[in-house]
Structures are given as C-alpha cells and as structure tokens.
Amino acid sequence: MDIVWQILIAVFIVILTALVILKLYVESIKGKCTSDVDLSGKVAIVTGANTGIGFHTALDFARRNARVILACRDLVKGQMAVDKIQEETGNKNVLVMKLDLSLMKSVREFVKLFEEKETRLDILVNNAGMAGLPLTKTEEGFEVMFATNHFGHFLLTNLLMDLLKKSQPSRVVNVSSLAHNWSKGIDFENLRAEKDYSIHNCYFDTKLANILFTRELARRTEWTGVITSCLHPGTINSEIWRHLPIPHAIVMVIPRYIFFKTPEEGAQTSIYCSISKDIEGVSGKYYVDCKEAEEQSSEMSKDMGVAKKLWEISEQYTGLAENN
C-alpha cells in the first residue's frame, strides 16, 4: 500500500511540475504594450468597461491622462469602476454613461448625450461582449448576444463616425476572438435567431462579424485619418464566462485559473491598437499579443464580399440605412 501511495504522490508531483512549467511558458509569450504615449487632451470611450479587460483598458487610458467614458449597461457597477479608476490614477476626468448595446434605442440615446457633452472622440474601443447566453430576444426583436457583440457596436461606431473623423487621427478598436476561426459561416437569414440558435455557434459568428466589420469599416474610411483594428485579447479569466452552463463552467475551472490571462494582461492588445505608433496609417488588420497576426485570422474573415453583405444587412437591421 505504501508503494501505491508513493507512486500516486510521484505522479501528482510530475503533473504539477508540468503544469507550472507550461504556465511559465505561457506567461513568457504574452504580449505587453510598452508604449509611453500620453493621452492628455484625448477623449476615449470603452464599452463594457466596468469589469474585465474593458476596465483595465480604461484604467490604462486614465493613467495616460485621457478623458475616459465608461459605456456600461449597469450604472451602479460602472460608477464603482469609475471611483476605483479615479482613486488609482488621480484622474478625475473619468465618468460612466449608460449604454445597453443589445438595444439600438439605447445606443442612439448614448450617442445623442455624448455629442451634447463632448466635442471630440479620439479612441473608441468596442470591448463589451457576451458568451454562453441562452436564447434571449430583446424588445426590438434582436437575439441578445448578436446584438451586443455586433449590431450595437456597428451602430455605435457609425453614429460616432463624424466625430471620429473630425478628431483624426483617431482609432476604432474591435475586440474579437480566435473563436471566429470556428465559425461555419454567417447565416444571413438567421442573424436574429429566426430559424435556430446555438450558444456556441452564435458566439463564433459574432466574433467573425467583428473582424468583417473591421475590414469593411477600414475600406470605407480609407484616407479619413480613422484607423480601425481588431484583435484577439487572449483567453481571459473574466466575467464573460458567467453565462456558461454549469457543466461547461466546471470543465473550464482548471484552464481558467492556470492558463488563462488575467484581465490586465488581456487588455494589452486593446491598448496597443488604441495608442501604439507602430500601426499609424495601418487599418483593417487583426492583432494578437500586441503584434499583427493576419495569418491567425480565418480565410472567411478576409472575404470582402461577405463583409460588404454583413454591413448592408446591419445597416437595415439597426436602422442606420434610414439615416443615410
């Protein structure tokens, strides 16, 4: 019996050692934004900034002396984040504004209020996202995950475009995911879950939509001084996993706490795309770990025909076409 226990202990030590070595390796290859750019006089919006990588993106901008607007669905949580950022940075030019990206009405209200208060917009980080949410429809007929991850940001960006152009050089940063590679292709007849719904496929499709939106936006804003980028932040141990079904959540426990990036680490590529001088004049590209990674984006994400079609349908669904 003693021998059995010795073997079990030895196996445990070997496995634990292997996990530690693997974690150290993962830590060594994580990208970090090393730019010392100061953002004094600049205005930035970060959606979903009350928690996770959005919070740390906003925190970084505040440290660089920017005026930072946390665009959040929950104003109470948003104000708590504002208080924490102000306390840590000493920057009192940080505030929260109400924005529910799943409702196009809320997007329009946010933009109207923002334009009444602000005269410029230098950085827009479309960070907010949902994953693992059961089928839920909004009062406007949208499926919540696709509305939050794509349609809301699509409308928000377009409604703010005049201000972004006026403030150029300015930047739009769309947070996507490597999960876009698992999309089987966007079903344009099922964007509002008209036919069926899959928690996983919907998320994959929204992340593909983020990249397609980036590429088409870059094409349409060429020569305007607006730089558009998209990125995979890494697999982050954040609240985005809170909607996962319990069996999935249990399976994810060990990977989340051993191998996933912290929210601060996950924010680095968003920050890089927002401020780095390395990508001045470079638009429509995909980034991972603070460097261009076009080879890691799927061929489908480079199909400009699909990007154009998604744009046109998004215009119709969000009501943007009626304003043009």
Side-chain angles (χ1 to χ4, degrees):
M1 196 65 179
D2 289 341
I3 295 177
V4 173
W5 275 109
Q6 290 174 11
I7 293 174
L8 290 174
I9 292 171
V11 170
F12 174 78
I13 292 173
V14 169
I15 293 174
L16 184 61
T17 301
L19 291 175
V20 170
I21 292 173
L22 184 55
K23 181 171 178 58
L24 290 173
Y25 170 73
V26 170
E27 293 288 337
S28 71
I29 62 174
K30 291 175 181 175
K32 183 173 178 58
C33 180
T34 58
S35 172
D36 60 357
V37 167
D38 182 83
L39 296 177
S40 295
K42 306 292 186 181
V43 177
I45 294 174
V46 183
T47 67
N50 61 285
T51 188
I53 64 176
F55 171 82
H56 285 280
T57 302
L59 177 64
D60 181 273
F61 293 167
R63 285 195 177 117
R64 297 173 189 273
N65 305 307
R67 176 171 172 80
V68 189
I69 289 82
L70 281 64
C72 303
R73 184 176 51 186
D74 188 322
L75 285 179
V76 174
K77 292 181 178 178
Q79 188 58 52
M80 290 173 62
V82 166
D83 293 343
K84 187 173 182 180
I85 290 173
Q86 290 184 348
E87 182 181 351
E88 289 193 27
T89 66
N91 184 345
K92 301 302 180 183
N93 215 4
V94 182
L95 64 150
V96 62
M97 290 177 60
K98 173 78 172 181
L99 175 62
D100 184 343
L101 287 157
S102 70
L103 296 173
M104 302 308 111
K105 177 183 177 182
S106 177
V107 174
R108 293 180 183 279
E109 290 172 348
F110 172 88
V111 172
K112 183 175 184 296
L113 184 59
F114 180 82
E115 290 181 334
E116 289 174 355
K117 294 183 174 182
E118 307 294 336
T119 59
R120 64 180 301 121
L121 177 59
D122 302 273
I123 303 169
L124 171 61
V125 182
N126 291 320
N127 164 81
M130 286 186 171
L133 190 69
L135 177 59
T136 308
K137 290 289 189 80
T138 72
E139 61 193 53
E140 297 172 335
F142 289 97
E143 182 278 313
V144 169
M145 195 177 349
F146 219 110
T148 301
N149 293 5
H150 170 65
F151 288 122
H153 282 132
F154 173 86
L155 182 61
L156 177 68
T157 304
N158 276 284
L159 293 179
L160 290 169
M161 187 49 62
D162 286 345
L163 204 51
L164 284 160
K165 289 178 180 178
K166 176 185 173 183
S167 309
Q168 61 88 20
S170 55
R171 303 197 186 188
V172 176
V173 178
N174 297 318
V175 178
S176 181
S177 168
L178 62 77
H180 82 274
N181 286 287
W182 304 326
S183 172
K184 298 175 183 177
I186 295 175
D187 184 347
F188 290 105
E189 296 180 356
N190 196 43
L191 292 179
R192 293 175 291 193
E194 294 93 335
K195 298 188 297 186
D196 54 48
Y197 179 77
S198 161
I199 288 175
H200 303 297
N201 291 339
C202 181
Y203 180 72
F204 302 157
D205 290 350
T206 65
K207 295 295 103 180
L208 174 60
N210 295 152
I211 303 179
L212 293 169
F213 169 46
T214 298
R215 300 200 193 281
E216 181 64 9
L217 181 62
R219 186 186 70 79
R220 290 173 180 251
T221 56
E222 191 175 10
W223 311 117
T224 65
V226 180
I227 295 173
T228 305
S229 307
C230 57
L231 62 105
H232 167 56
T235 308
I236 314 301
N237 185 15
S238 72
E239 289 189 14
I240 194 172
W241 305 102
R242 66 189 181 277
H243 296 298
L244 280 178
I246 291 177
H248 294 73
I250 292 173
V251 171
M252 295 293 286
V253 167
I254 292 178
R256 281 182 64 180
Y257 290 97
I258 296 182
F259 304 114
F260 287 14
K261 289 182 178 180
T262 65
E264 182 177 6
E265 292 168 340
Q268 295 305 305
T269 307
S270 293
I271 297 165
Y272 174 84
C273 290
S274 299
I275 67 172
S276 177
K277 294 180 180 179
D278 294 344
I279 62 174
E280 289 180 351
V282 180
S283 197
K285 300 299 183 181
Y286 178 73
Y287 295 84
V288 179
D289 283 322
C290 299
K291 58 181 180 291
E292 187 178 315
E294 282 293 295
E295 74 284 354
Q296 295 184 40
S297 65
S298 69
E299 288 304 310
M300 203 177 304
S301 75
K302 301 170 185 175
D303 189 324
M304 294 306 296
V306 175
K308 182 174 183 291
K309 185 173 182 179
L310 176 64
W311 183 285
E312 292 170 348
I313 291 177
S314 297
E315 279 186 321
Q316 295 172 20
Y317 284 4
T318 63
L320 185 66
E322 299 171 7
N323 297 341
N324 298 332

